[in-house]
Amino acid sequence: MNITRENIDALNAVVKVDIAKEDYSDKVEKILIDYRKSANIPGFRKGHVPMGMVKKQYGKAVLVDEVNKLLQDALGKYLVEEKLDVLGNPLPKAQDDLDWDSDAFSFEFELGLAPDFEVNLKSKKAIIHYNIVADDKMINNQIEQIQKQYGKIISQTKATKDSEITGTFFNEEKEIDNSTMITLDKLKGKTNPKKFIGAKVGDVISLKTKGLFNDDHDLMTFLKVPHDDAHGLDIEVNFEITEINGRELADLNQDLFDKLFGKGIVTSATELKGKIKEDSEKQFVQQGDQKLLNDVTEYLVENIKFDLPSSFLQKWMQTAGEEVMTEEQAKDEYEKSEKSMRYQLIEGKLIQEHNLQVQFEDLKAYSMEMIKGQMAQFGQMNPSEKELEDIAARILSNQEEVKRLSEQLMSQKLLGFYKTEANIKTKEITYDDFVKEFYS
């Protein structure tokens, strides 16, 4: 067997594999001998079929199978030995004139080669890492919500801006008939809430669904319309009021503090505010980190320049999936996934050069820490090491879970690496401003 490579350019190559008779003949002969021992052919006793008949019936199929096995093994070994970093899989070049009756065969494969590039994390302009804080307005709103939640329900004769209004939405044409409770802060604009102010039990209020709620998805919740109908729904509905309630705010006293956090953990309104701020900002850390990870990823993809073997990758995509694509479909798919491919190459280079690989012990420790946190949420504060190890072992026996947790842990490793190596600047921002700026 002889393998040669022709480099077309820095990103494309063709590998030629020449297979001679001596490379496969012994294996083919052995398999045909085994076939002869077990073949059941009418007119011959088992094991006494003439070898010529066995070769005639099975010879070519065995030859093709063994040559293909030999070819795949040799090609895989060659790529490893030559340390070729290929993208996708080798693509066999079409051979319309292949003669399986000859003794020697030649096969050619197109290769897409990974580009050579350097990663510079030190951007000229600093990438912002947002430290999201809970301001007084947010904390006070949360305290008011807590007071409402634990307060007394008081029946009202007329609706006010703070009332909880129970009733039924209905529209015969669209078969809407749903009983629900709404608060006026869910309604969009000023006109809709005004229709409810001063209303009494038994009143029927006509409303337009278009622009009724701040979030169109609330149409699914309150009117029980399907998701596909919720967006752009423009009909008139009626709401018949059946009950109006207000809430007397709960006092900020020790009894409330103990209900919220356990006996004696919080002892004053000042401590309550501090606790809410602390707990909220712990949750915000993940959002700030995710934004940083997204921004660094975008910087790397936009600023680390290198070419890809685009023609090869589009050709490879045509047959790589479950369904064969046309050239046009493959081109479209390539354009959609090009940025993702670029980042995968950049990420792979960083992982390799800076030894950021996820080891099994890392994954086990990460799983145990995650399990410990989840158990704490259900009041199990001090699980034993054996308990944690047993649960982690069950989780890590599931390959899908291993994949998911490995991706999470790798994101954490990359994030920690970016924080120390990239040009990062920390900026404090309130949660409301963060949401307005990036998610509005």
Side-chain angles (χ1 to χ4, degrees):
M1 183 185 299
N2 186 44
I3 303 180
T4 56
R5 181 174 84 248
E6 178 189 358
N7 291 325
I8 308 302
D9 54 38
L11 299 172
N12 295 275
V14 173
V15 169
K16 184 180 180 184
V17 183
D18 295 316
I19 297 178
K21 185 176 182 178
E22 57 266 25
D23 296 322
Y24 61 82
S25 58
D26 288 348
K27 289 184 179 179
V28 170
E29 190 70 21
K30 183 179 182 303
I31 291 171
L32 291 175
I33 289 171
D34 290 340
Y35 272 30
R36 185 187 180 207
K37 292 176 182 177
S38 58
N40 286 313
I41 296 179
F44 297 95
R45 283 184 297 148
K46 190 173 182 179
H48 290 77
V49 180
M51 194 61 180
M53 184 172 287
V54 173
K55 286 184 176 181
K56 185 177 181 180
Q57 187 161 349
Y58 301 109
K60 187 168 289 186
V62 172
L63 170 67
V64 172
D65 189 45
E66 285 306 306
V67 167
N68 278 323
K69 286 180 184 177
L70 188 64
L71 183 62
Q72 295 304 319
D73 290 345
L75 185 59
K77 186 178 179 182
Y78 175 80
L79 296 178
V80 172
E81 289 177 348
E82 294 293 311
K83 297 179 180 178
L84 291 177
D85 191 2
V86 299
L87 302 180
N89 292 316
L91 286 177
K93 296 185 78 171
Q95 289 179 277
D96 297 330
D97 59 346
L98 183 62
D99 181 10
W100 287 104
D101 290 323
S102 64
D103 290 336
F105 309 98
S106 288
F107 301 91
E108 290 185 337
F109 293 86
E110 295 178 62
L111 302 182
L113 305 177
D116 187 27
F117 58 92
E118 297 296 324
V119 180
N120 178 17
L121 281 167
K122 300 296 184 182
S123 57
K124 291 182 181 179
K125 184 180 179 182
I127 300 172
I128 304 300
H129 182 208
Y130 290 95
N131 176 29
I132 307 169
V133 297
D135 60 1
D136 288 341
K137 178 184 174 184
M138 179 181 182
I139 294 168
N140 290 334
N141 284 340
Q142 285 199 37
I143 289 174
E144 185 177 340
Q145 289 302 315
I146 290 169
Q147 288 180 282
K148 284 182 178 179
Q149 182 182 345
Y150 287 89
K152 293 179 182 177
I153 296 176
I154 301 171
S155 179
Q156 296 177 319
T157 56
K158 293 182 180 180
T160 68
K161 65 181 181 65
D162 297 316
S163 295
E164 297 174 358
I165 305 170
T166 300
T168 302
F169 280 107
F170 58 93
N171 174 290
E172 283 189 19
E173 183 184 348
K174 291 290 183 178
E175 297 182 346
I176 295 170
D177 185 356
N178 188 57
S179 296
T180 187
M181 187 276 287
I182 62 170
T183 54
L184 301 188
D185 59 323
K186 292 284 186 182
L187 302 178
K188 190 172 184 178
K190 296 179 179 179
T191 304
N192 288 321
K194 277 184 179 178
K195 292 182 179 180
F196 286 85
I197 303 297
K200 303 174 183 177
V201 171
D203 287 352
V204 177
I205 298 170
S206 294
L207 302 158
K208 289 280 189 181
T209 55
K210 186 176 181 181
L212 178 57
F213 295 103
N214 292 313
D215 183 349
D216 282 345
H217 288 93
D218 282 343
L219 290 169
M220 294 186 289
T221 303
F222 293 113
L223 276 67
K224 286 290 184 288
V225 296
H227 181 273
D228 292 343
D229 294 343
H231 292 283
L233 184 66
D234 188 8
I235 61 171
E236 188 172 282
V237 292
N238 291 318
F239 183 82
E240 183 176 1
I241 299 174
T242 56
E243 188 178 351
I244 304 170
N245 293 309
R247 283 194 182 254
E248 184 180 282
L249 299 184
D251 292 332
L252 295 178
N253 55 26
Q254 194 59 49
D255 182 51
L256 178 61
F257 303 152
D258 290 347
K259 285 179 182 176
L260 293 171
F261 302 105
K263 193 166 182 64
I265 293 174
V266 170
T267 59
S268 68
T270 302
E271 288 183 16
L272 173 63
K273 288 185 177 183
K275 184 69 173 164
I276 290 173
K277 181 178 177 66
E278 178 188 352
D279 291 348
S280 298
E281 290 177 358
K282 279 181 183 176
Q283 296 176 34
F284 299 156
V285 167
Q286 186 177 357
Q287 294 179 60
D289 282 350
Q290 187 60 55
K291 180 72 172 68
L292 175 63
L293 194 59
N294 293 345
D295 289 346
V296 174
T297 299
E298 186 175 345
Y299 162 77
L300 291 172
V301 170
E302 296 298 328
N303 291 276
I304 308 299
K305 302 296 183 184
F306 53 83
D307 292 326
L308 290 171
S310 55
S311 296
F312 168 84
L313 288 170
Q314 289 174 44
K315 193 185 295 185
W316 169 69
M317 283 180 169
Q318 284 185 255
T319 56
E322 292 182 4
E323 296 183 7
V324 175
M325 294 184 186
T326 64
E327 285 187 28
E328 194 61 36
Q329 287 172 326
K331 182 181 179 182
D332 184 53
E333 185 62 28
Y334 174 79
E335 289 172 355
K336 289 177 183 175
S337 57
E338 184 183 359
K339 281 190 175 183
S340 175
M341 288 184 193
R342 289 181 176 278
Y343 181 67
Q344 285 175 13
L345 287 170
I346 295 167
E347 183 184 274
K349 191 175 186 70
L350 289 172
I351 290 169
Q352 184 179 15
E353 290 184 351
H354 300 278
N355 196 28
L356 300 174
Q357 292 87 352
V358 172
Q359 305 296 340
F360 180 77
E361 287 304 314
D362 298 331
L363 195 58
K364 180 181 174 183
Y366 177 72
S367 302
M368 289 170 66
E369 197 60 34
M370 179 193 72
I371 294 161
K372 192 175 180 180
Q374 290 176 345
M375 292 176 77
Q377 292 178 7
F378 294 95
Q380 295 175 266
M381 305 305 294
N382 296 300
S384 69
E385 194 77 4
K386 187 177 185 309
E387 279 183 287
L388 295 173
E389 287 187 349
D390 288 347
I391 298 171
R394 287 199 297 273
I395 291 173
L396 297 178
S397 67
N398 183 318
Q399 289 304 308
E400 287 297 317
E401 281 298 296
V402 169
K403 182 175 181 292
R404 183 180 67 84
L405 293 172
S406 295
E407 289 172 354
Q408 288 180 6
L409 185 52
M410 180 52 69
S411 288
Q412 284 193 8
K413 286 197 170 197
L414 285 167
L415 182 64
F417 177 74
Y418 294 151
K419 284 180 179 180
T420 58
E421 299 298 324
N423 183 11
I424 305 294
K425 180 182 177 181
T426 302
K427 179 181 177 181
E428 190 171 281
I429 189 171
T430 67
Y431 180 74
D432 284 346
D433 287 343
F434 181 79
V435 171
K436 284 176 188 175
E437 189 166 348
F438 301 112
Y439 298 105
S440 59

